[in-house]
Amino acid sequence: RLDICEKSLNDFLDGRRRQFPRYYFVSKADLLEILSNGSNPEKILVHIPKIYLSTKTLVLSETEKSASGRPCATEFVARVGS
């Protein structure tokens, strides 16, 4: 029974990776954390360097919001050359 759950989870994660190939650069545990905190962008900022290799973090705007009410990223902060 556990094998069935694990296979279903792996199939789900593989589907997300096919939708957004940069997810291939993160571990299964990191991807689960990213997907489970999708409505809270502040919590996934620690994973940004794993997804965008030359990016240190993103700057989120408190005033600009998406249609769903989440903060928008307004800047990339480079990991090199800054």
Side-chain angles (χ1 to χ4, degrees):
R1 186 161 173 105
L2 182 59
D3 292 339
I4 294 170
C5 290
E6 189 172 353
K7 184 182 178 337
S8 295
L9 177 61
N10 286 331
D11 290 345
F12 172 76
L13 295 178
D14 286 342
R16 294 299 180 190
R17 285 180 168 130
R18 282 191 298 279
Q19 289 177 344
F20 189 67
R22 288 192 176 271
Y23 285 155
Y24 284 106
F25 296 108
V26 298
S27 70
K28 194 184 310 184
D30 288 343
L31 183 52
L32 281 171
E33 187 172 357
I34 291 167
L35 296 174
S36 66
N37 288 304
S39 61
N40 192 352
E42 295 86 3
K43 287 188 176 185
I44 64 169
L45 288 178
V46 297
H47 301 292
I48 293 300
K50 299 170 192 168
I51 299 170
Y52 299 105
L53 300 179
S54 63
T55 304
K56 183 176 181 180
T57 191
L58 299 174
V59 175
L60 301 175
S61 172
E62 292 299 320
T63 57
E64 293 182 47
K65 303 282 184 179
S66 69
S68 62
R70 293 182 282 189
C72 292
T74 56
E75 296 177 43
F76 280 90
V77 178
R79 187 172 10 170
V80 292
S82 58

